[in-house]
Amino acid sequence: MISLQTRFANFVTWIRPGADKVDDARAQRDEVRARICAKAEADGLTVCSTPNSGSFAKATGLRRHMAGNAEHEGLDIDCPFVCMPEDEDGEVLTELLGRFEGYANECYPDTPRERTKSSIKLTFVKSKRSFDIVPMLAIKGNDDEQILLRSDGERRRTSVQKHTEFVKSRTKRSKELRGPVAFNDCVRLMKWWRDHHAAQSKFLEEIPTFLLDLLCAKAFDEASVQLTYAATLHTWLDKIQSYAATRSTIRFADYSTANTDKVTGAWKVIDPVNGENNVVPAVWGGIQLDELRDWARDSRDRLQQAIANDLIGGRDPEPLTLMAEVFGQPFTHHSES
């Protein structure tokens, strides 16, 4: 019989992108950066930096995989382009998305693209890999923060570097503890959990990755990681269901002070870099929060039952059935070796 911890360890290894995929993605990212930068600079912009960002930089990405209606993201990569606030003629930049959409079209005319609120998403069919082109403005005298110009005219202060370090610092802390469980791998498992449940949802079709990062970080800050993946996720899911049920405000003291008086919404989860930014989608209300609570609560209970059955021994099919309900059938197929 294979223990539940061994199955989780095998499954975590499988959902991580392979080293060859990471190397290929890095090479393709560098090519995209170089081509877009060349177009921007030829258009009179000064690109100060292109910092590493997103799940690729945080080591929380997943292998791309389809399971039923659940699509797991794979190596979707954020590509920020931090530009000087004025062009070479001294004209102040007030809009960047349209310009960068033009650069993407010139560089990759046959590549499907989608314009979002703050990025141009390029999807390369052959490599099955997406790149989010995210234009930003530099803040003079502050290399670690940027201004994100959104399509609705909002100018949002943020920091690519600090958001990445926010996750990486917790991964580092977890690896200094006894046992094999790392923060970033638990985030991968939680992303897989989210995708599996979202595919069956009536009201909660998507939990933003940044929001999930913060919920995991809060659970980690309060409860750390345990000696096994199952025990860790059981504790984290119990925390998350409690946060959603009570609508308790979540904030962090890593970089800034949360200014909750300027934040609205049915639930407040505050960006650790920008204390006035609530990362919970504005359209979420009680229905969405209750569904998130129920997802977490039901999964917590199944994990608790699986842990108990695993301790009894000799009942391997039961934990497997329970974990397939939490993570989908891929857990059954890819947790043996």
Side-chain angles (χ1 to χ4, degrees):
M1 185 187 76
I2 303 173
S3 71
L4 190 59
Q5 171 61 10
T6 298
R7 286 192 177 279
F8 264 103
N10 292 339
F11 188 59
V12 164
T13 299
W14 182 75
I15 66 176
R16 291 185 196 125
D20 56 336
K21 298 292 186 183
V22 171
D23 290 341
D24 288 346
R26 184 177 291 112
Q28 190 173 11
R29 177 203 63 190
D30 291 346
E31 179 202 355
V32 170
R33 278 178 173 173
R35 296 182 69 174
I36 297 292
C37 273
K39 290 293 182 183
E41 292 176 350
D43 193 33
L45 304 187
T46 300
V47 179
C48 306
S49 63
T50 54
N52 294 331
S53 178
S55 61
F56 188 71
K58 298 171 186 173
T60 58
L62 302 176
R63 68 159 56 232
R64 185 173 296 281
H65 183 70
M66 287 294 297
N69 294 323
E71 179 177 357
H72 302 284
E73 65 180 29
L75 280 173
D76 290 352
I77 301 169
D78 290 348
C79 290
F81 293 84
V82 184
C83 303
M84 289 295 292
E86 301 90 18
D87 64 17
E88 62 183 9
D89 296 323
E91 182 178 344
V92 176
L93 300 175
T94 58
E95 197 279 333
L96 287 175
L97 266 181
R99 297 176 77 152
F100 273 80
E101 185 173 20
Y103 308 151
N105 184 41
E106 291 179 42
C107 293
Y108 301 101
D110 299 323
T111 299
R113 62 187 178 278
E114 175 189 356
R115 183 167 175 165
T116 74
K117 291 181 179 179
S118 56
S119 73
I120 307 301
K121 184 173 185 177
L122 289 171
T123 301
F124 293 87
V125 177
K126 185 176 181 181
S127 66
K128 298 180 180 179
R129 196 173 292 137
S130 296
F131 294 82
D132 274 322
I133 309 300
V134 187
M136 313 175 90
L137 292 179
I139 299 175
K140 293 181 180 179
N142 188 344
D143 294 337
D144 287 341
E145 294 190 358
Q146 302 85 31
I147 299 295
L148 186 65
L149 300 178
R150 294 167 65 84
S151 59
D152 60 3
E154 179 188 358
R155 297 168 62 92
R156 178 177 295 174
R157 181 176 61 84
T158 188
S159 173
V160 171
Q161 295 91 333
K162 290 177 181 177
H163 283 156
T164 299
E165 180 58 26
F166 179 84
V167 170
K168 292 178 71 174
S169 65
R170 285 162 174 79
T171 299
K172 180 180 178 182
R173 280 159 47 194
S174 69
K175 289 183 176 180
E176 292 170 349
L177 302 172
R178 186 166 66 93
V181 180
F183 175 77
N184 63 317
D185 281 335
C186 289
V187 173
R188 293 186 214 268
L189 287 165
M190 289 298 294
K191 285 183 175 181
W192 200 278
W193 167 83
R194 168 200 63 185
D195 294 346
H196 171 64
H197 283 76
Q200 308 167 65
S201 171
K202 293 182 179 179
F203 308 107
L204 195 56
E205 296 180 358
E206 181 182 8
I207 301 176
T209 294
F210 186 34
L211 172 59
L212 192 62
D213 283 349
L214 296 189
L215 295 178
C216 291
K218 189 63 174 178
F220 173 79
D221 290 351
E222 292 183 350
S224 189
V225 293
Q226 313 303 312
L227 292 176
T228 67
Y229 287 105
T232 300
L233 294 187
H234 174 267
T235 301
W236 286 17
L237 286 163
D238 183 55
K239 293 283 185 184
I240 290 170
Q241 69 84 24
S242 176
Y243 303 151
T246 61
R247 279 45 163 181
S248 55
T249 298
I250 294 176
R251 67 194 86 193
F252 302 89
D254 293 63
Y255 304 111
S256 68
T257 301
N259 191 348
T260 54
D261 291 340
K262 293 188 176 182
V263 175
T264 60
W267 185 30
K268 299 176 183 179
V269 179
I270 310 300
D271 183 340
V273 171
N274 183 343
E276 298 180 5
N277 178 30
N278 184 9
V279 304
V280 177
V283 296
W284 279 22
I287 292 176
Q288 288 79 11
L289 295 177
D290 288 346
E291 186 164 18
L292 174 60
R293 175 204 62 200
D294 292 344
W295 289 5
R297 187 175 291 171
D298 291 346
S299 297
R300 175 205 62 186
D301 293 346
R302 284 173 171 77
L303 271 161
Q304 185 173 11
Q305 188 177 350
I307 291 168
N309 289 346
D310 186 60
L311 290 173
I312 293 170
R315 303 175 69 180
D316 191 41
E318 288 188 37
L320 268 183
T321 300
L322 291 164
M323 290 305 90
E325 293 172 356
V326 175
F327 296 103
Q329 285 301 321
F331 188 94
T332 303
H333 304 316
H334 299 286
S335 64
E336 293 190 355
S337 63

